Amino acid sequence: MKKVVCGCAGALLAISVCMGTAEPMACKAEGNIGAKSTESVGIKAQNPQDQVASGRYLNIGSVSKMYTVAAVMQLVDQGKVDLDAPVVDYISDFKLADERYQKITVRMLMNHTSGLMGSVYGEIFLLGDASSDYHDSFLSILQKEGLKYGPGKCNCYCNDGFTLLEILVERVSGMAFTDYLEENICKPLSLEKTGTPWNMDAEDHVSIYVNGDVEMAPERGSAIGAGGIISTANDVSSFGAAFFRGNQALLSEKAKKEMAKNYQVGCLESFGLGWDEVTKKDYEKAGVTVLSKGGDTFFQHASLVVAPEEKISVSVLSSGGDSSLNEEMALELLDIALLEQGVSVEHPAKEQPELSEAVPEKYLSYEGVYANAYGTVSITFPNQQYMQIVSLTYDTVFEQQYMYSKDGNFVEMSGDVASGKAIPVRPVNMVAIEEKNGQVYLMDQLGGYSLYKASENKVSDQVQKAWEQRDGISYYYVSGSASDETYAIENHCATLHTSEAARGYVNGRVMLDENQAGYQRIMPGTASRDLSNVRMEKVNGKEYLCMDEYNYRYISEECIPVLTEDITEVELKTKEASWYKLGGAKNMTLRLELPEKAAVYVYDQYGNIRYSSHMIQYGNEVPLPENGSIVFIGETGGQVNVRIIK
């Protein structure tokens, strides 16, 4: 095995390629069965020898789903689980508010056709901590939820289905999922650096970074089956080798074949059982089957690419970046490995679109308001010269211009089209407008659903006014524990947006009444991936925004007091974080005394983290940003002592 370590600011990258031998064999040094590791590369900004050469591990995010599916398929091989049996046969206390849940099968959880709302996000990742709370409360949270479409109707990526599979493995095997993983996945493959927060030392876990190079406590997954497994690039590529033809270390050939089927239903993605893709056109033309799975946590990312017939497995893990970039690198390495076997894969360059100076007349009738789960936009065709997309109720304000191309697509332009000086953005980004079954959609350049043309949502003036009064108001996350990573990402704040041009809509949801908002249309694929309705409630005169499907609860900024010099103690309360505005805190410093199981975050006026008690090697004196905010998180009975120093 060749190892190369070098510097690269702000990121860590680990790569491993496993190539099968003519006869399956165990390579104990690399922990592979039927494969040998040919390359491992690690890149890290600071102390690369400590971070990579020592084999420290990273989160592999949704690549974890493949381990979960492998566990279930082992039980299928043993005759203990039927893929087409209802999930309730194995998890009797699995219930939803929609009675159709009883029709959800085990297979539907694996191929993303269950219709579940998406992801329970609250406490899904913790900083430097492990807790069973997420696992133990998961089924009770689901009991409040409905379905976004009927079971089996279409594919729509869903994390919660794999947390259910994690629980199914536990119920059928009688083992904790971590124990099952260790005994039945890791030991047969000699994976010595693969596990979960329950059996892997946090000190060996690669840190996460904010603000470029500020080190924080490691990210620890709570939804193990959906995205909480920890590993190294070598171990992940060794796991991928278990899917090579002829390798039955984990699964029968029948089980692997079932996993590699194309379960595409009503959407673009060619999902397998667990696999994100089981068909890739360029490779199919070369006679090569490629299976791929990507994974992203909030800070770390992974890609696993397997060519089972050619016996090649490639994994790329990173802290920073994203899984799509990791997959691009993995496929480049796959191409090199295939070439060594005499297989050349061609990736033809895309032809540059030929632009037209006018938009065809037929598109003018498609002007109007469009929506998805995140916001609304207006689509118009000024002077029939180009298509203009302007945000209405998104968190970010944007305007985009697209010129029509003679192949029937719209090409995003940089600059003002009307001036005659606009050019296509690089790389080229194209969209299309299509009408399907009487509904108009904006499709992305891969053919996936992006936006739907919104129909009028007729609401009373009273309902409209209630939401308009909340327009632009920000709400701050309060329901997480001190180690909940939500406070470290943009989800710590939610802002409501309305627009006169999109009456009846708030962000991407339709107003249902004065205090509830939901969804008008669910699109197949990733555009409707994770959904949560919005519910407003008042408690003791304070307004809260609740996203029950996410298990998120936020308090209105209008109910947050200013942190003044006379405040010297902050009483903590479980699941009720204490937020303060900093006001004119220029040139002020805060001295803190924190109890156990407590945390503090300081943000600037733009919501960027300036300080967190989860930052490594930071002291207890914090410069306060002007017009920022601060949150104290902990458990009932705890108290933070604070002192403002000028």
Side-chain angles (χ1 to χ4, degrees), residues 346-522:
E346 295 185 3
H347 303 286
K350 293 182 180 179
E351 295 183 5
Q352 294 299 310
E354 185 178 354
L355 301 178
S356 174
E357 294 183 358
V359 176
E361 186 80 23
K362 68 175 184 178
Y363 286 100
L364 301 186
S365 63
Y366 293 144
E367 287 191 335
V369 174
Y370 286 69
N372 61 19
Y374 310 104
T376 62
V377 301
S378 70
I379 292 183
T380 57
F381 302 93
N383 300 319
Q384 206 173 328
Q385 188 179 3
Y386 60 94
M387 178 172 70
Q388 179 174 263
I389 300 180
V390 178
S391 61
L392 297 175
T393 60
Y394 272 83
D395 281 337
T396 55
V397 176
F398 60 85
E399 177 185 328
Q400 299 168 332
Q401 296 184 2
Y402 295 77
M403 288 186 70
Y404 186 73
S405 67
K406 293 183 179 179
D407 62 1
N409 293 308
F410 288 87
V411 180
E412 186 177 1
M413 307 298 290
S414 176
D416 181 40
V417 173
S419 71
K421 296 181 180 180
I423 59 173
V425 299
R426 293 288 187 270
V428 173
N429 178 39
M430 295 187 294
V431 299
I433 294 181
E434 296 182 13
E435 189 168 348
K436 300 182 179 184
N437 300 319
Q439 175 63 49
V440 179
Y441 297 96
L442 185 77
M443 313 295 289
D444 64 30
Q445 62 182 345
L446 297 177
Y449 294 83
S450 179
L451 296 160
Y452 67 89
K453 189 175 182 183
S455 59
E456 183 182 2
N457 179 38
K458 296 181 179 180
V459 297
S460 68
D461 291 341
Q462 184 176 351
V463 169
Q464 181 71 25
K465 183 178 180 181
W467 289 101
E468 286 179 349
Q469 289 175 340
R470 301 178 178 120
D471 177 51
I473 293 178
S474 293
Y475 295 77
Y476 291 85
Y477 185 55
V478 296
S479 56
S481 67
S483 55
D484 190 343
E485 193 176 75
T486 304
Y487 295 102
I489 61 175
E490 61 183 12
N491 289 4
H492 77 270
C493 178
T495 305
L496 296 179
H497 302 280
T498 62
S499 169
E500 292 183 6
R503 182 179 172 85
Y505 287 81
V506 54
N507 296 65
R509 302 170 181 86
V510 290
M511 302 171 189
L512 301 176
D513 58 32
E514 295 175 52
N515 294 304
Q516 297 185 84
Y519 295 95
Q520 182 185 76
R521 179 171 293 274
I522 308 299

Side-chain angles (χ1 to χ4, degrees), residues 76-98:
V76 171
D77 276 342
Q78 296 165 21
K80 297 178 180 179
V81 171
D82 180 347
L83 284 177
D84 295 310
V87 176
V88 292
D89 285 1
Y90 305 102
I91 309 175
S92 60
D93 47 343
F94 165 51
K95 293 180 176 64
L96 298 177
D98 187 322

Side-chain angles (χ1 to χ4, degrees), residues 277-290:
E277 287 186 281
V278 295
T279 60
K280 290 184 181 291
K281 291 183 180 179
D282 291 352
Y283 293 92
E284 285 185 338
K285 290 177 181 177
V288 179
T289 296
V290 175

